[in-house]
Amino acid sequence: MDTLSHISDFFDAYLILLVVIGIIATIFTNKLSPSSAFLLGTLILIMGGAENVQGLLASFSNMQVITIFILIFITVAIRHNTNVDALFDKWFKKTDSPGVFMTKLSVTVAVLSSFLNNTPIVAMLMSNVQQWARQNDISPSKFLIPLSYAAILGGMITVIGTSTNLVLMGLLSSNGEGLLSFMDFFVVGGMVCLFGILFQVLFGRRLLPDRVIAMKQFSENRGQYIHEVELEDGNDLEGVTVVDAGLKNLKGIYLIEISRNGEVITPIEPSTVLQKGDHLYFAGDTERLVRFVENQKGIKLPSEEKLDKVGAGSIVEVIVSANSKLAGVMVKDSHFRQNYNASIIGIHRNGEKVSGKIGYVKIKSGDLLLLLAGNDFEHRIKEDKDLYLLTNIRESFKKPLVRRKPVYYFLQALVAGALFTGYFDFFFSLVLSLFLLVWFGFLTVDSIKSNFNFDLLIVLACSLTLGKVFIESGAADLVSDQFLRFIPKNDVKILITALFAFTVLLTSLVTNVAAVSIAFPIAYSLAHQMTMSGDAFYLTIAFGASAAFLTPMGYQTNMMVYGPGGYKGTDFLRAGLPMLLVYGITSLIMIFWWFEL
């Protein structure tokens, strides 16, 4: 019987190792989304007998997982009831020094990210950063990567600052370990944030390129935007050659392709005769294109007539989020007009030429979409997690004045009061705050539904299940044994440094949640084999998993600023490597000091 049990444990251990390798490989190569990779891996474990359905269901009800979603919903309420544009303008109104701006921006974002979900914070401030940069004739590329980095740094100040920390707490709880304290994160994270911001203020802008402002790329980087127009009945150009129609000499606009009955005509000869139903594809200045369309009979931007005409015609720009359900979907299959009352008239993809009929272009995360928007577009996008508004359109869409502000601020203070006084426990105070926000109308049930990210729930629950099975199967011991083969047991500092580097490598290849869920079992096994408290090991992997500075794919806020900043992958390496060194050295020194290692 013992032999059969040993064989079963051996099989489970190697099965989980294969599953983990498979998850890393599929996420890194983009073969599967993180949610699909984690769910498939977990189902394989269940079918292989290494886990059961009850264990997976228990992970869905984990308190830390629920906490992550409550914090997301509270962030939504704050975003909907706070005029961020007005606050930002007031805070930066008299700031004209890039260094002062960088300091204010980094500190503000770090503080907000320490207790709010950092993705909407970056989304809210991107357009404001670009507006300030344009007003001061500075490229936004000098500030958008620092904006993302500040959100990462601030998230490590508190246990609720990032989902990574909360997933770690869930893993600790489900494996019977003591939880890390508020002060563990505050002391170490506070110093890491301080030195990280100092580095950004002193050196950050010097390491970043002076890229063309994204809105100017319509005219200055012509080949990367495409705009589609259609010839209707009774148009002025039917039967006329391209050269006679004047389409070869348009200032700031270039005809690059014609789509006719499924056939793409490119390059276009001057003698090409235009026909009814032709779809013309232009590259160049958006405003000039709009004026050209308005001055021609029978030429239209596609589907413009199907937009709500009250307030229609506003040209806005949005960015496709890192986990958007639109990613990988053809424009024609995205139901874009029905969902957003907006029509895609241009696409910008950093570093790639986007060509062909817009309806047949597959949307990618990080794409900038140029839209012709209807009057309720802002309301629709506000309830959405797939697109983030980039262009500042305050003049087109007026925000309503917030009523009952004293009550609103009181409700937010209630959460902070419950946290610091201990009158309610942390989880109950968040639940109560969420209930009151809904009760008083500061957050609607529809907002909760639209901001409920099922993919995130799958990743979180499956990562907890994966971590638990990793430990129980003995797979974590197999990996930790390899660590201890090369690193002396009595040199805890070197061991923790190696664990930090391993976790950073993971988070650069996959998501931060995946990194912490894979690194946790190894940290757990190392701590138990060395018969010492695991707090230093666990805090190490928390900081390692959030050290997503090297690649745009490493963290969702990096992906958000990638396109708008006009960045290349090497820009993240140039700015991220020294930031990682500052972050890593500070983290390790503080962890050694705090835990007296």
Side-chain angles (χ1 to χ4, degrees), residues 252-268:
I253 312 171
Y254 297 83
L255 180 62
I256 56 174
E257 287 181 0
I258 297 176
S259 176
R260 178 179 298 163
N261 299 323
E263 177 187 359
V264 175
I265 302 173
T266 184
I268 301 167

Side-chain angles (χ1 to χ4, degrees), residues 60-279:
F60 278 98
S61 60
N62 183 277
M63 186 179 295
Q64 307 303 329
V65 171
I66 298 172
T67 298
I68 290 172
F69 281 90
I70 293 177
L71 289 169
I72 290 173
F73 300 146
I74 289 175
T75 304
V76 170
I78 293 175
R79 189 169 83 243
H80 287 185
N81 294 279
T82 304
N83 192 335
V84 177
D85 290 328
L87 293 175
F88 189 92
D89 287 347
K90 187 175 182 180
W91 179 231
F92 292 101
K93 186 176 182 180
K94 296 182 179 179
T95 303
D96 54 11
S97 165
V100 174
F101 178 78
M102 179 76 84
T103 303
K104 285 186 175 182
L105 177 68
S106 299
V107 171
T108 301
V109 173
V111 171
L112 291 175
S113 295
S114 68
F115 61 92
L116 296 175
N117 185 270
N118 53 24
T119 302
I121 291 172
V122 172
M124 285 188 292
L125 293 182
M126 272 199 304
S127 62
N128 300 96
V129 169
Q130 289 214 340
Q131 183 188 28
W132 184 91
R134 285 195 298 269
Q135 290 174 347
N136 291 273
D137 197 26
I138 302 174
S139 173
S141 61
K142 294 289 188 181
F143 301 101
L144 289 176
I145 282 181
L147 170 65
S148 177
Y149 286 178
I152 295 172
L153 293 169
M156 294 309 298
I157 297 176
T158 66
V159 68
I160 64 173
T162 174
S163 59
T164 310
N165 295 349
L166 287 167
V167 168
L168 174 61
M169 298 293 265
L171 287 164
L172 290 170
S173 175
S174 62
N175 287 278
E177 292 287 286
L179 301 182
L180 294 169
S181 70
F182 169 81
M183 290 303 294
D184 290 335
F185 286 98
F186 184 75
V187 172
V188 179
M191 291 302 294
V192 169
C193 186
L194 174 63
F195 280 97
I197 289 176
L198 283 174
F199 173 79
Q200 287 206 148
V201 172
L202 296 175
F203 306 105
R205 286 183 295 114
R206 301 178 186 179
L207 296 172
L208 291 169
D210 191 5
R211 293 279 159 75
V212 178
I213 295 173
M215 289 300 290
K216 287 184 178 179
Q217 288 181 337
F218 292 120
S219 56
E220 296 181 16
N221 203 357
R222 301 176 180 121
Q224 293 186 358
Y225 266 101
I226 58 173
H227 314 286
E228 179 182 2
V229 299
E230 182 181 350
L231 302 186
E232 295 181 295
D233 289 332
N235 66 80
D236 294 336
L237 303 182
E238 185 179 347
V240 180
T241 65
V242 169
V243 68
D244 290 338
L247 299 183
K248 282 290 186 179
N249 300 308
L250 292 171
K251 187 176 181 180
I253 312 171
Y254 297 83
L255 180 62
I256 56 174
E257 287 181 0
I258 297 176
S259 176
R260 178 179 298 163
N261 299 323
E263 177 187 359
V264 175
I265 302 173
T266 184
I268 301 167
E269 299 294 333
S271 59
T272 302
V273 177
L274 299 172
Q275 299 178 11
K276 182 181 71 175
D278 280 353
H279 288 256

Side-chain angles (χ1 to χ4, degrees), residues 342-515:
S343 181
I344 300 175
I345 60 174
I347 299 176
H348 172 86
R349 183 168 297 158
N350 194 65
E352 297 182 25
K353 180 185 178 184
V354 182
S355 62
K357 190 172 183 179
I358 288 180
Y360 291 90
V361 173
K362 279 191 176 182
I363 300 171
K364 289 187 177 182
S365 296
D367 278 356
L368 297 182
L369 307 180
L370 185 70
L371 308 178
L372 181 69
N375 72 316
D376 62 343
F377 172 75
E378 188 193 26
H379 173 74
R380 295 195 188 197
I381 198 174
K382 190 193 305 186
E383 303 296 332
D384 188 81
K385 58 182 176 294
D386 296 307
L387 300 172
Y388 293 112
L389 188 64
L390 179 62
T391 311
N392 193 326
I393 53 173
R394 284 174 290 177
E395 294 76 15
S396 301
F397 302 108
K398 301 297 182 182
K399 294 192 175 189
L401 293 174
V402 178
R403 305 294 181 184
R404 297 184 296 172
K405 281 187 177 180
V407 178
Y408 172 74
Y409 292 127
F410 169 76
L411 294 177
Q412 299 308 320
L414 184 65
V415 176
L419 285 173
F420 290 107
T421 63
Y423 188 74
F424 296 126
D425 65 52
F426 175 69
F427 183 75
F428 179 75
S429 67
L430 288 184
V431 173
L432 179 60
S433 176
L434 181 64
F435 169 77
L436 292 174
L437 286 168
V438 175
W439 182 263
F440 281 91
F442 292 103
L443 183 66
T444 66
V445 175
D446 286 341
S447 294
I448 292 176
K449 289 179 179 178
S450 62
N451 285 278
F452 182 83
N453 191 328
F454 188 71
D455 286 340
L456 177 61
L457 177 63
I458 291 291
V459 170
L460 295 175
C462 290
S463 66
L464 294 181
T465 305
L466 183 74
K468 190 169 183 293
V469 176
F470 206 153
I471 292 171
E472 293 176 348
S473 68
D477 291 335
L478 291 176
V479 178
S480 62
D481 286 343
Q482 298 305 310
F483 264 87
L484 296 175
R485 280 184 61 188
F486 299 100
I487 302 171
K489 282 188 177 182
N490 59 351
D491 202 333
V492 178
K493 291 182 179 180
I494 293 180
L495 185 60
I496 284 179
T497 301
L499 183 63
F500 179 85
F502 172 73
T503 311
V504 170
L505 176 63
L506 280 177
T507 204
S508 299
L509 296 176
V510 292
T511 65
N512 54 335
V513 172

